[in-house]
Amino acid sequence: MAHSSSPTPFTVPGPARLAGRIRVPGDKSISHRSLMLSALAVGESRVEGLLEGEDVLATAAAMRAMGATIERGDDGIWRIYGVGVGGLLQPCQALDMGNSGTSTRLLMGLVASHPITATFTGDASLSARPMARVTVPLAQMGASIEASPGTRLPLMVRGACPAVPIDYELPVASAQVKSAVLLAALNTPGITRVIEPVPTRDHSERMLAGFGAQLTVEQGPRGRVISLTGEAELKPQSIVVPGDPSSAAFWMVAASIVPGSDVVIENVGLNPTRAGLVTALRMMGADITELDARVVGGEPVADLRVRHATLAGIVVPHDLAPSMIDEYPALFVAAAFAEGKTVARGAEELRVKESDRIAAMRAALEANGVTTEEHEDGLTVHGSGGEKIAGGGTVATKLDHRIAMSMTVAGLHARNAVTIDDIAPVATSYPAFYQQLETLSGRAA
C-alpha cells in the first residue's frame, strides 16, 4: 500500500478551458463506513458507486482479515456478507492501512469492543500522524492500546469484551473520533454518548440509523448529543454512494478560475455537513447551479454546473471550517485567482492531515508566484484578480493527494508550467483524476 516506489512527477499542461460532463468517485467517508457497517450486519449488503481508491481498498482488506466476505462483481457492485456485531475474528497479521487515517481511526473503534487484538501499520505519511485523540476515549471504554512513541503507528489495539459505555465530549471537532467511539459502542452493552460542541460530518449517524442501530441525536446545552444503544443488530442494506464533494472540489475551482470553462459534475453529495466549499465559493462569486437535486440513500445529491466567474476575496466564516476541512487546499487555489485577499482561518486541523496542509500549500503557492501569509490556523492569500499566476515552480506534495490535485488546478491558469513532484498519492482517493483532466481540457496531458 505504501508509496515507496519512485515518485511520478507531472508537469501541468498549461492553460486550457474546461468543458464537458464528468462523474467524480464515490464519497470516501461514505465508502469506508458502508464497508465497515455491511461487514457487521448479518446477511448480504450491496454497495454501488464505492470509491475504489487505495484508502477504501485498505478498509476492505482489513474487514476481510476480520472475517467478512467482500466481493466486487463484474457489474461494479460490491457484495458484502457480514459477520454480525460481536463477530469480528482475530486477524492473522497486521492490518496495513496504507495512507488512510480514516480507515485506521474507525477500525480502531471497531476492534476496541471485540475480543480480538489487531496491529495497525501504515505508510510513512500515516505513521507520522498522531492517534491519541482516538486512543484516549477507546481506552476509557476498556481497550488496551500499545502505540509507537507519540501515539503513532505501528499501534496495537486489544479489544475489551465487554467494553464500558462512556459519555465523551469531543475536545476537537473530528468526525473520525466521533465515529470511532460510535463504532466501539455497537458492541458495548448500555448507552454510549458522544457530545459534539461543533457539528462535524454526520455520515456515521445517518448510516448507523439506516443499518438499524438504536441511535438518537439531540441538541443539548453543550452541543449535539449522539446516543447509541449497544449490542446492536445491524440489518444488511443496499447503498448507493454519492459522488465525493472533496473530489468535486477540484473541478468546481478549476471551472471557476479558467476563462471559458463550463463543467457539469454529476451526482455530487451535498450533505450540509460537507458542503462548506460550495457556500464559500458562492460567497466569492462563483457560478454554481444545482441540477436535478435529489435524495439518495438518505444523502442529498445534485449535479453541479460550474461556469467561469470573476471571484472576489472574502473572509471565510469560521463556522464553515468543519464542513470543508478537506477542501481548504482547493479553496486556497481559488483565493489565488480572486480579486483582493482571502482570509481563511479556523482550520488548525489542517496541520495534522496527510501533510501539514497549511505549510505545504503556502510553500506551493509561493513557489508559483502567489503571495500568502501563514497563520497557525490557516492562510491569507492575495489574489491575481483573475489574471494568470506566474507559475514556473515545483510543488512539494509531501505525499499528500490533495496538495497534488489542488496545485494541478492552479497550473491550469498559469503563465509558466507548474510541476508537481509526485502525483502517485492521488491514487489514494481519485485514481481517474488525470484522465478526467484530459477529457475536460480536450487534450492529452
Side-chain angles (χ1 to χ4, degrees):
M1 299 293 301
H3 297 293
S4 53
S5 54
S6 55
T8 308
F10 177 78
T11 300
V12 184
R17 76 182 195 94
L18 305 177
R21 297 178 77 89
I22 50 159
R23 182 167 280 242
V24 294
D27 185 282
K28 194 153 71 124
S29 299
I30 295 173
S31 292
H32 281 303
R33 288 161 175 81
S34 65
L35 286 174
M36 292 180 197
L37 295 180
S38 296
L40 290 176
V42 177
E44 180 194 87
S45 291
R46 298 157 59 100
V47 182
E48 203 175 323
L50 189 84
L51 168 60
E52 296 180 9
E54 292 175 4
D55 284 11
V56 174
L57 297 180
T59 291
M63 297 317 300
R64 281 192 193 105
M66 292 188 280
T69 302
I70 301 178
E71 298 162 353
R72 182 190 189 276
D74 293 337
D75 52 7
I77 295 176
W78 289 68
R79 291 169 176 80
I80 300 102
Y81 303 87
V83 294
V85 172
L88 293 181
L89 303 178
Q90 173 71 41
C92 300
Q93 57 205 54
L95 303 175
D96 180 357
M97 298 288 102
N99 188 237
S100 181
T102 306
S103 305
T104 309
R105 294 190 173 112
L106 270 55
L107 288 170
M108 284 167 58
L110 275 188
V111 169
S113 60
H114 280 75
I116 59 175
T117 299
T119 300
F120 295 88
T121 62
D123 69 7
S125 162
L126 182 61
S127 299
R129 296 172 71 178
M131 296 291 160
R133 54 173 61 175
V134 183
T135 61
V136 168
L138 296 181
Q140 289 177 21
M141 296 179 79
S144 158
I145 295 153
E146 291 173 31
S148 301
T151 327
R152 290 176 163 84
L153 302 189
L155 177 150
M156 187 174 79
V157 179
R158 184 176 286 112
C161 201
V164 183
I166 60 171
D167 286 8
Y168 189 70
E169 182 166 345
L170 292 177
V172 289
S174 169
Q176 290 181 356
V177 179
K178 167 175 69 175
S179 300
V181 175
L182 292 174
L183 289 170
L186 281 172
N187 198 42
T188 300
I191 297 176
T192 297
R193 293 180 186 85
V194 178
I195 298 118
E196 192 175 47
V198 179
T200 63
R201 55 183 68 175
D202 64 356
H203 304 303
S204 292
E205 296 95 301
R206 287 174 186 247
M207 200 173 283
L208 282 161
F211 271 86
Q214 271 185 270
L215 178 133
T216 61
V217 181
E218 293 157 328
Q219 200 59 38
R222 291 180 296 167
R224 290 173 83 231
V225 181
I226 304 129
S227 306
L228 190 144
T229 303
E231 299 180 300
E233 286 188 31
L234 301 186
K235 309 203 170 32
Q237 300 296 310
S238 286
I239 295 169
V240 178
V241 180
D244 196 325
S246 300
S247 295
F250 304 109
W251 306 122
M252 286 193 266
V253 171
S256 296
I257 65 174
V258 179
S261 295
D262 185 350
V263 173
V264 174
I265 315 160
E266 298 176 352
N267 190 45
V268 181
L270 292 176
N271 181 311
T273 64
R274 294 287 300 287
L277 182 68
V278 177
T279 305
L281 288 175
R282 282 177 171 155
M283 288 174 68
M284 296 172 80
D287 180 351
I288 302 172
T289 310
E290 292 172 31
L291 310 173
D292 188 20
R294 54 206 185 267
V295 174
V296 178
E299 294 276 348
V301 170
D303 302 338
L304 297 181
R305 183 179 184 188
V306 188
R307 284 170 279 198
H308 172 251
T310 304
L311 302 181
I314 60 167
V315 176
V316 180
H318 280 217
D319 61 3
L320 277 185
S323 64
M324 57 182 280
I325 199 70
D326 285 331
E327 288 73 70
Y328 272 87
L331 175 79
F332 295 149
V333 170
F337 295 92
E339 184 78 53
K341 71 176 182 182
T342 297
V343 183
R345 302 191 62 168
E348 303 86 346
E349 178 76 8
L350 297 176
R351 298 274 185 196
V352 292
K353 291 289 188 177
E354 282 82 337
S355 68
D356 176 341
R357 286 183 175 158
I358 295 172
M361 283 302 296
R362 178 190 179 176
L365 289 167
E366 298 249 338
N368 288 285
V370 180
T371 303
T372 68
E373 282 108 47
E374 184 172 334
H375 312 292
E376 189 51 43
D377 59 348
L379 285 179
T380 294
V381 180
H382 297 266
S384 69
E387 299 299 314
K388 291 173 181 163
I389 58 169
T394 296
V395 173
T397 58
K398 309 286 189 186
L399 288 177
D400 190 329
H401 54 129
R402 299 202 196 280
I403 305 297
M405 288 184 277
S406 296
M407 290 309 297
T408 296
V409 168
L412 296 174
H413 196 43
R415 288 198 295 278
N416 301 293
V418 173
T419 301
I420 313 293
D421 70 350
D422 186 10
I423 61 169
V426 169
T428 62
S429 69
Y430 201 159
F433 178 80
Y434 288 95
Q435 289 95 299
Q436 290 191 333
L437 174 59
E438 289 181 25
T439 303
L440 290 175
S441 61
R443 64 179 182 202

